[in-house]
Amino acid sequence: MDKWLKSNTFVKIMSVGLAILLYIAVNDTPLGRQPANQTTATVIRNVALDAHIDGDRYVVVDMPQTVNLTLRGSSFLLNRVVVGNYRAYVDLTPYGTGVHRNVPVKVEGLPEGIDYVTEPSSVRVVIEEKQQKEVDVQIETVGQPAEGYTLGTPRVSPDRVLVRASEARLEDVELVKAVVNISGQTETIRETVELKAYSGAGDVLEDVEVVEPEADVKVPIVSPSTEVPLRPQVKEFPADGYSIHNLAVKDNRFTVYGNKDVIDQLDVYPGPALDLSGVSKDRTFEVKIPLIEGVNRVEPETVTIDVDVRRAERKVLENIPVKVRGLPDDKQANVVSDEDGTVSVTLEGSPERLNEVDRRDVEAYVNVSDLKSGVHEVEVQFDLPPFIQAVETASIQIELKNDT
């Protein structure tokens, strides 16, 4: 150690090191770094220039869009400057219409202790009084509804609005539009939509004020449809001794809306089932049309049906062959009763309709689809012309056997 202390080179190195440590201790700053309180400057270019103005009365038609901003302050404060916390603007509230020069540019939102200079420090501003005019509101639809569905006639409220802008800018305004997306839709759209002004070339005019900025729109999405006649049903027949001669549907063309696979199968629409129990004279019914599965709407929703009721007569038809329905492929059926596969039937209806019925218009059958092998007493059922009833039931014995 004594040898090192006697060396001039070692003493010089130690002196420099002690000097550096002393500097760091006094200044509390790492070597090579600037003190936090040292004043420095930075430049922020292309800062958006806003305008404080009475927007209900005036519009700025000419003014620089940006300025450059030079900031001076400590490094600590400058590091706290964040985009969005400050803004450059001109205060135009004291000014009216005309050309105004040397309007000072101001900055707000900077941390306290930072000085600023803008380039330019003042600007030229042209102000005009806002003009207004009425324009039509149109609906623009985007996309296509779901497959098989069609677009109805859109409605918008209000259908005319006021727009405000400079006189020159108003000349560019052709219309105001509400844009509605209908892609894949299957139901009518009802919503509130933002309105924007458009030029004749279809460009959005962002600087044009729409006084009523929103509108209520209704865009009908129409399901697949078909136009068919309606066939009324009978739930209960008239009083004893009376019969239906005719059911007449007024204006018998109806538009049916629903699933495409259902609509495509319709040749006639099954109408409401009338309860005619106790009816002994002509009646008119106005009833709501029921919706069958796969149908969501029928227009019109109600139907008027005139019922022609007359005194009933009876007629007997004999030797009607009985057919077998619902026979499985692995079975065979034989008639084992004395009727030998034929029956007689007593029919009831209006005289005019009965006179037109013969054996060829009547089909008798038994349904064996739910029967097992063996002998069964089965009720005979009849397919009959409209408004003709079988008033006496019959049955026959059927033997079902496995088909060997």
Side-chain angles (χ1 to χ4, degrees):
M1 178 64 71
D2 291 341
K3 184 179 179 180
W4 288 354
L5 292 175
K6 292 177 181 180
S7 171
N8 288 335
T9 302
F10 178 76
V11 172
K12 289 178 181 179
I13 292 173
M14 289 294 293
S15 299
V16 172
L18 290 171
I20 292 173
L21 291 173
L22 181 62
Y23 175 84
I24 294 175
V26 171
N27 290 277
D28 194 25
T29 304
L31 187 62
R33 295 189 181 179
Q34 294 179 342
N37 60 356
Q38 182 176 334
T39 299
T40 186
T42 186
V43 177
I44 305 175
R45 301 184 183 279
N46 296 324
V47 177
L49 182 61
D50 296 334
H52 285 183
I53 193 170
D54 182 358
D56 291 334
R57 295 186 56 194
Y58 302 107
V59 60
V60 175
V61 296
D62 188 29
M63 184 185 79
Q65 298 299 305
T66 63
V67 295
N68 294 331
L69 179 60
T70 300
L71 304 179
R72 293 185 181 277
S74 68
S75 299
F76 174 75
L77 290 178
L78 290 179
N79 287 334
R80 294 176 58 193
V81 175
V82 179
V83 174
N85 289 350
Y86 63 89
R87 69 189 192 98
Y89 69 96
V90 287
D91 184 4
L92 301 179
T93 53
Y95 300 90
T97 58
V99 179
H100 306 281
R101 295 178 174 83
N102 300 319
V103 179
V105 178
K106 302 178 181 180
V107 178
E108 63 182 6
L110 293 172
E112 187 176 352
I114 291 183
D115 297 324
Y116 70 85
V117 176
T118 62
E119 176 60 36
S121 60
S122 62
V123 295
R124 172 182 176 273
V125 180
V126 179
I127 300 175
E128 289 187 10
E129 189 170 7
K130 275 189 174 181
Q131 304 296 321
Q132 60 184 14
K133 71 175 182 179
E134 278 192 18
V135 293
D136 291 329
V137 178
Q138 296 184 9
I139 297 179
E140 178 181 325
T141 57
V142 178
Q144 296 294 326
E147 184 178 358
Y149 290 76
T150 57
L151 176 65
T153 302
R155 296 283 185 267
V156 61
S157 178
D159 57 4
R160 287 181 67 82
V161 293
L162 287 173
V163 292
R164 292 175 182 166
S166 66
E167 185 172 359
R169 194 56 162 164
L170 278 184
E171 295 179 359
D172 297 331
V173 179
E174 183 72 19
L175 54 87
V176 168
K177 283 199 295 190
V179 180
V180 182
N181 190 336
I182 64 171
S183 298
Q185 294 294 322
T186 59
E187 296 181 352
T188 294
I189 300 170
R190 293 178 176 84
E191 60 186 27
T192 300
V193 180
E194 181 183 9
L195 299 180
K196 290 189 175 183
Y198 285 78
S199 68
D203 298 322
V204 179
L205 304 177
E206 298 286 1
D207 56 341
V208 174
E209 176 192 0
V210 181
V211 177
E212 296 179 77
E214 293 182 338
D216 295 326
V217 298
K218 176 183 178 182
V219 182
I221 304 297
V222 183
S223 64
S225 65
T226 186
E227 189 176 74
V228 293
L230 181 142
R231 180 182 297 157
Q233 314 295 310
V234 178
K235 179 181 178 182
E236 297 290 344
F237 282 83
D240 290 342
Y242 293 87
S243 181
I244 301 170
H245 177 67
N246 191 41
L247 298 179
V249 178
K250 185 177 181 181
D251 301 325
N252 198 6
R253 297 299 295 179
F254 294 83
T255 304
V256 183
Y257 301 86
N259 298 340
K260 191 174 188 305
D261 55 347
V262 174
I263 296 301
D264 289 345
Q265 299 299 318
L266 286 179
D267 294 320
V268 62
Y269 190 80
L274 300 178
D275 184 355
L276 303 180
S277 55
V279 174
S280 59
K281 60 182 179 180
D282 295 350
R283 287 275 303 274
T284 297
F285 294 83
E286 183 173 352
V287 290
K288 187 175 179 65
I289 301 173
L291 301 181
I292 63 174
E293 185 175 358
V295 170
N296 54 50
R297 189 166 88 255
V298 177
E299 291 183 352
E301 296 181 347
T302 60
V303 59
T304 300
I305 304 172
D306 293 325
V307 182
D308 183 355
V309 176
R310 302 186 183 182
R311 284 200 169 272
E313 293 185 358
R314 294 188 176 186
K315 179 178 183 178
V316 177
L317 295 179
E318 298 179 341
N319 300 320
I320 308 294
V322 179
K323 297 183 178 181
V324 177
R325 296 182 183 178
L327 183 66
D329 293 336
D330 60 347
K331 286 184 171 34
Q332 61 179 344
N334 298 304
V335 177
V336 296
S337 56
D338 297 335
E339 288 82 359
D340 194 26
T342 65
V343 294
S344 298
V345 60
T346 300
L347 304 179
E348 183 177 86
S350 68
E352 294 84 354
R353 287 192 176 272
L354 276 181
N355 287 337
E356 297 175 356
V357 178
D358 60 28
R359 294 174 63 254
R360 294 169 297 179
D361 301 314
V362 177
E363 184 168 302
Y365 67 92
V366 290
N367 189 340
V368 299
S369 58
D370 295 330
L371 301 181
K372 299 179 180 180
S373 297
V375 178
H376 304 272
E377 188 83 14
V378 185
E379 182 179 342
V380 179
Q381 301 179 59
F382 298 93
D383 286 338
L384 300 170
F387 314 127
I388 299 296
Q389 292 179 271
V391 295
E392 293 179 1
T393 60
S395 62
I396 60 174
Q397 286 188 335
I398 295 287
E399 182 183 18
L400 295 183
K401 296 189 296 185
N402 292 331
D403 192 6
T404 56

